[in-house]
Amino acid sequence: MEMIANYHTHTKRCHHAIGEDEDYVKAAIKMGLKTLGFSDHSPWNYQSGFKPRMRMELKEFEGYLKSIRELKVKYADKINILVGVEAEYFPEYMEWFRNFKKEYELDYVLFGNHFYPDDEKGRYFGRACDDDDFLKVYVNNCIDGLNTGLYNYLAHPDLFMRSRDYFDEMCLWASEKICAYAKERDVILEYNLEGLRNGSYGYEIGYPSVDFWKVAQKYKVKAIVGVDAHDPRSLENSERIDYAYQFLNSLGLEVVKELKL
Ligand SMILES: [Zn+2]
Ligand SMILES: [Zn+2]
């Protein structure tokens, strides 16, 4: 297996992942990974007291950190464990988030751009990008978010394909915008394995999108493979992981194996 580090790992705290934290660590060790990074969906300080359905609450965060940091010590001789988050770009909360990242000394932050303007008041890009105007919002939100310099890579840049029936002119426009930006600013784009969970290798719609990655090839972006594990068994799916590396290698893309943190 070509993978030596996976930075995209969830925990059951996000309400749509299963297994114990330690099960993810055991699976990563079994597969011979050098580094396992946890990046559960970041909590936010919703002003209204909104209870999110797809991420932990703020009050659960310290328990998350404590659990992962204990595992880091327990398995220190077997694997390097990092603790980060997968975070959104919610314009009105970014000052808070910047302080949050610093206060808890997170190892890294992945940019998972799922909602606008947030998951309390907004829509999910994976469902609502069938609307061309909302696809433009997705692209702008990716770029505004990346401009903050807070994130170590852009997760599933082609998430919008989840709500499109086929790769049309608008999808091409969105892909070109994202890839041109990534090339210019040296942003790493993630080939996300969670999108392949149905075994839809090479499938024309959904994500990862073959057409999006052809645009990435044209712009010679840097790629990274992210398991986006919501189940410890995803880390053990070497067939799927190998497929991703073979695909990216076939495009001649530079594949980042480890982040410089
Ligand atoms: Zn995500
Ligand atoms: Zn994720």
Side-chain angles (χ1 to χ4, degrees):
M1 200 168 78
E2 264 190 73
M3 178 173 272
I4 53 174
N6 172 53
Y7 300 91
H8 200 157
T9 313
H10 290 279
T11 77
K12 62 184 181 183
R13 294 168 189 79
C14 71
H15 313 287
H16 59 282
I18 56 169
E20 298 305 316
D21 300 346
E22 191 163 9
D23 297 336
Y24 289 89
V25 175
K26 286 179 177 164
I29 292 170
K30 185 171 159 194
M31 297 310 287
L33 294 191
K34 250 171 76 181
T35 299
L36 178 68
F38 281 88
S39 52
D40 208 357
H41 293 286
S42 176
W44 293 87
N45 69 328
Y46 304 99
Q47 293 306 301
S48 62
F50 169 69
K51 279 205 192 323
R53 287 173 294 274
M54 52 72 68
R55 63 181 82 254
M56 70 180 89
E57 289 182 55
L58 198 47
K59 64 183 183 204
E60 294 173 276
F61 189 72
E62 290 192 4
Y64 166 70
L65 272 188
K66 184 169 179 282
S67 168
I68 308 305
R69 287 186 173 145
E70 280 172 6
L71 290 168
K72 182 184 177 80
V73 173
K74 182 171 176 183
Y75 290 96
D77 60 335
K78 295 197 172 69
I79 192 165
N80 175 33
I81 293 177
L82 300 173
V83 60
V85 290
E86 178 180 15
E88 311 275 347
Y89 175 66
F90 290 163
E92 73 173 298
Y93 297 117
M94 294 319 286
E95 203 185 300
W96 171 83
F97 183 77
R98 195 176 282 279
N99 290 325
F100 170 81
K101 179 185 176 187
K102 206 195 257 170
E103 181 185 344
Y104 290 107
E105 299 174 334
L106 299 180
D107 292 320
Y108 66 97
V109 178
L110 305 185
F111 185 11
N113 186 21
H114 307 94
F115 296 93
Y116 183 84
D118 60 44
D119 52 345
E120 177 182 8
K121 301 184 282 269
R123 289 191 286 166
Y124 173 44
F125 289 121
R127 206 166 292 131
C129 280
D130 53 339
D131 171 354
D132 285 352
D133 287 332
F134 204 58
L135 176 54
K136 288 180 193 159
V137 172
Y138 174 75
V139 172
N140 289 334
N141 212 51
C142 281
I143 290 172
D144 290 348
L146 291 169
N147 278 336
T148 65
L150 281 167
Y151 311 94
N152 296 83
Y153 75 57
L154 176 59
H156 43 63
D158 42 0
L159 177 68
F160 62 90
M161 283 307 290
R162 201 174 164 175
S163 50
R164 306 289 293 198
D165 291 331
Y166 54 93
F167 195 87
D168 61 9
E169 284 298 308
M170 272 304 294
C171 299
L172 179 63
W173 171 85
S175 304
E176 296 252 352
K177 278 283 226 196
I178 293 168
C179 292
Y181 180 96
K183 180 63 189 172
E184 192 189 313
R185 306 293 184 93
D186 202 24
V187 171
I188 303 168
L189 302 184
E190 181 202 60
Y191 188 87
N192 183 283
L193 290 184
E194 179 68 359
L196 287 180
R197 67 186 177 280
N198 300 321
S200 53
Y201 301 175
Y203 194 45
E204 295 301 324
I205 58 168
Y207 73 98
S209 155
V210 173
D211 294 295
F212 174 90
W213 285 96
K214 283 183 183 157
V215 175
Q217 176 185 34
K218 179 175 137 192
Y219 284 91
K220 300 187 169 64
V221 304
K222 284 184 190 161
I224 190 166
V225 177
V227 176
D228 199 359
H230 288 77
D231 179 330
R233 286 170 293 188
S234 297
L235 290 165
E236 296 180 34
N237 191 337
S238 57
E239 186 199 347
R240 198 162 72 176
I241 294 168
D242 287 341
Y243 170 83
Y245 282 93
Q246 275 161 28
F247 174 71
L248 295 170
N249 290 337
S250 77
L251 296 179
L253 288 172
E254 177 182 346
V255 183
V256 175
K257 298 274 179 72
E258 285 181 290
L259 295 174
K260 292 187 195 85
L261 300 173

